[in-house]
């Protein structure tokens, strides 16, 4: 039976590839809905981007809900410097004909989980955790309905990417991340420590262009745009492809290794705001609350991406 998932996202070129990977995998993943959140760019633009990606995939019955337009307590921080003004610069995708659902994204999360059986729904979090935290605060009884929350965020060994100690998704809404990691549901964190091993080298990028479908061309154009910032910053042979790791984890968890540890979120200090303090070596007696991923088989990841994405238009 397919795993029932909700994807919470701020697309974002790498979010877009994650959405496409999920949409290309209906046998394994039943996508109940996509919820957008303020993150890479503002909520309205992230929502437009999500609709465009759904149309690109041809799965136009997929429902998209707009969630929160700002973090719980902080001033919004965006990343146009990475993703471009549209958040999805690169390809020239037409404006979508499909439209957003009327329901607020947080209401959709709450209702879907309230109507679910215990442990039935998996949440895939690809952006700041605002919507998910809001849902958990409003209706704490939904936590046991969650099979797991698999999130891209944080970093420990690799440090941060928006400040020296914080990864973007956690930095933008640290209070939300704090709620999520303590909600009691199983949490799988895929941090920069993993995604920095999953580099879109020239050869891997070319494989997308060679897929021979519209999806492959669009992905090639997206990642060619978004990589320029990272290539200059890191001077690596390719840019990390973060968010699709979450979907890859659901499709093949054996591609990843990690361990159950305690992770706390820094919410007080301005200097280290949003740091994921990962007790990887077990030097405290704090309770383990997060399965913290550490390694990925990058070749298997890119092979999965091309194998699956060729199925789309
Ligand atoms: C995360 O931040 C965003 O810019 C990406 O989409 C990804 O979710 C990486 O730090
Ligand atoms: Ca994202």
């Amino acid at each position: 039976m397919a795993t029932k998932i909700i994807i919470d996202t701020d697309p974002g070129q790498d979010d877009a590839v994650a959405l496409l990977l999920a949409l290309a995998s209906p046998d394994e993943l039943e996508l109940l809905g996509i919820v957008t959140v303020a993150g890479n760019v503002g909520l309205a633009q992230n929502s437009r981007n999500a609709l465009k990606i759904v149309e690109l995939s041809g799965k136009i019955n997929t429902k998209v809900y707009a969630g929160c337009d700002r973090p719980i307590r902080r001033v919004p921080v965006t990343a146009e410097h990475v993703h471009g003004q549209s958040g999805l610069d690169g390809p020239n995708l037409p404006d979508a004909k499909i439209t957003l659902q009327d329901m607020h994204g947080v209401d959709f999360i709450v209702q879907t989980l309230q109507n679910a059986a215990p442990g039935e729904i998996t949440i895939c979090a690809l952006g700041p955790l605002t919507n998910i935290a809001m849902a958990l605060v409003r209706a704490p009884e939904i936590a046991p309905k969650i099979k797991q929350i698999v999130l891209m965020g944080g970093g420990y060994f690799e440090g941060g990417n928006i400040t020296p100690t914080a990864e973007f998704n956690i930095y933008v809404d640290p209070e939300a991340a704090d709620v999520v990691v303590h909600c009691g549901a199983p949490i799988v964190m895929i941090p920069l420590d993993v995604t920095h091993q999953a580099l879109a080298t020239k050869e891997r990028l070319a494989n997308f262009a060679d897929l021979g479908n519209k999806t492959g061309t669009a992905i090639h154009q997206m990642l060619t745009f978004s990589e320029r910032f990272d290539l200059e910053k890191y001077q690596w042979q390719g840019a990390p492809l973060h968010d699709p790791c979450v979907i890859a984890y659901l499709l093949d968890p054996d591609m990843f290794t990690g361990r159950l540890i305690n992770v706390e979120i820094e919410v007080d200090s301005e200097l280290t705001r949003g740091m994921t303090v990962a007790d990887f070596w077990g030097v405290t007696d704090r309770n383990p609350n997060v399965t913290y991923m550490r390694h990925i088989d990058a070749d298997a990841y890119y092979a999965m991406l091309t194998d699956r994405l060729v199925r789309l238009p």
Side-chain angles (χ1 to χ4, degrees):
M1 217 172 57
T3 304
K4 291 186 172 44
I5 64 168
I6 294 172
I7 301 183
D8 192 274
T9 178
D10 59 339
Q13 290 88 350
D14 62 323
D15 300 73
V17 180
L19 289 171
L20 291 164
L21 179 61
L23 288 160
S25 309
D27 290 347
E28 295 91 347
L29 304 176
E30 182 185 346
L31 181 52
L32 303 178
I34 296 169
V35 184
T36 56
V37 66
N40 285 327
V41 292
L43 179 72
Q45 189 57 43
N46 282 333
S47 302
R48 272 196 283 281
N49 294 345
L51 293 168
K52 283 184 184 184
I53 295 302
V54 167
E55 258 190 22
L56 174 66
S57 77
K59 315 268 178 177
I60 55 168
N61 293 324
T62 309
K63 295 190 163 71
V64 182
Y65 302 81
C68 296
D69 65 357
R70 73 192 85 107
I72 292 175
R73 225 183 74 192
R74 309 279 177 158
V75 174
V77 175
T78 52
E80 283 87 358
H81 59 292
V82 182
H83 301 276
Q85 283 310 313
S86 75
L88 200 58
D89 279 19
N92 200 1
L93 296 173
D95 278 329
K97 294 193 193 69
I98 56 168
T99 54
L100 290 171
Q101 301 297 305
D102 286 338
M103 191 185 278
H104 191 281
V106 173
D107 293 338
F108 167 70
I109 296 172
V110 169
Q111 262 189 35
T112 307
L113 288 161
Q114 279 174 339
N115 294 330
E120 191 181 358
I121 312 277
T122 294
I123 296 184
C124 307
L126 312 180
L129 293 157
T130 317
N131 293 328
I132 300 161
M134 289 295 283
L136 286 161
V137 168
R138 235 185 67 196
E141 75 278 6
I142 63 178
K145 306 293 186 74
I146 300 172
K147 182 174 180 193
Q148 55 182 345
I149 299 175
V150 185
L151 67 92
M152 189 281 133
Y156 186 71
F157 297 95
E158 286 288 304
N161 62 357
I162 181 88
T163 72
T165 53
E167 180 279 330
F168 180 79
N169 290 338
I170 309 295
Y171 178 82
V172 170
D173 199 341
E175 284 76 18
D178 189 39
V179 168
V180 169
V181 300
H182 290 114
C183 76
I187 310 285
V188 177
M189 187 176 276
I190 302 187
L192 296 176
D193 305 322
V194 165
T195 64
H196 283 183
Q197 297 164 29
L199 303 184
T201 58
K202 276 214 154 4
E203 199 190 337
R204 288 169 175 162
L205 261 189
N207 289 339
F208 290 118
D210 291 346
L211 287 180
N213 57 5
K214 264 193 316 191
T215 301
T217 307
I219 290 176
H220 184 261
Q221 291 168 336
M222 282 181 215
L223 299 185
T224 302
F225 180 87
S226 57
E227 73 168 4
R228 83 213 182 297
F229 177 79
D230 280 344
L231 293 186
E232 199 187 326
K233 175 165 146 193
Y234 298 116
Q235 304 281 313
W236 292 340
Q237 294 306 307
L241 185 53
H242 308 282
D243 291 342
C245 287
V246 167
I247 309 300
Y249 178 81
L250 295 183
L251 294 170
D252 183 5
D254 292 342
M255 210 183 264
F256 297 81
T257 53
R259 55 167 90 148
L260 181 63
I261 62 167
N262 175 267
V263 176
E264 301 293 334
I265 310 292
E266 177 56 62
V267 291
D268 292 326
S269 155
E270 260 320 298
L271 182 64
T272 56
R273 157 181 169 182
M275 182 179 184
T276 45
V277 180
D279 186 8
F280 200 80
W281 305 116
V283 294
T284 72
D285 54 9
R286 293 197 280 258
N287 284 338
N289 56 341
V290 167
T291 303
Y292 190 92
M293 290 301 155
R294 183 75 179 88
H295 294 290
I296 181 173
D297 179 343
D299 286 331
Y301 173 54
Y302 280 92
M304 170 190 276
L305 283 163
T306 48
D307 286 353
R308 302 260 167 171
L309 292 165
V310 75
R311 303 174 187 172
L312 293 178

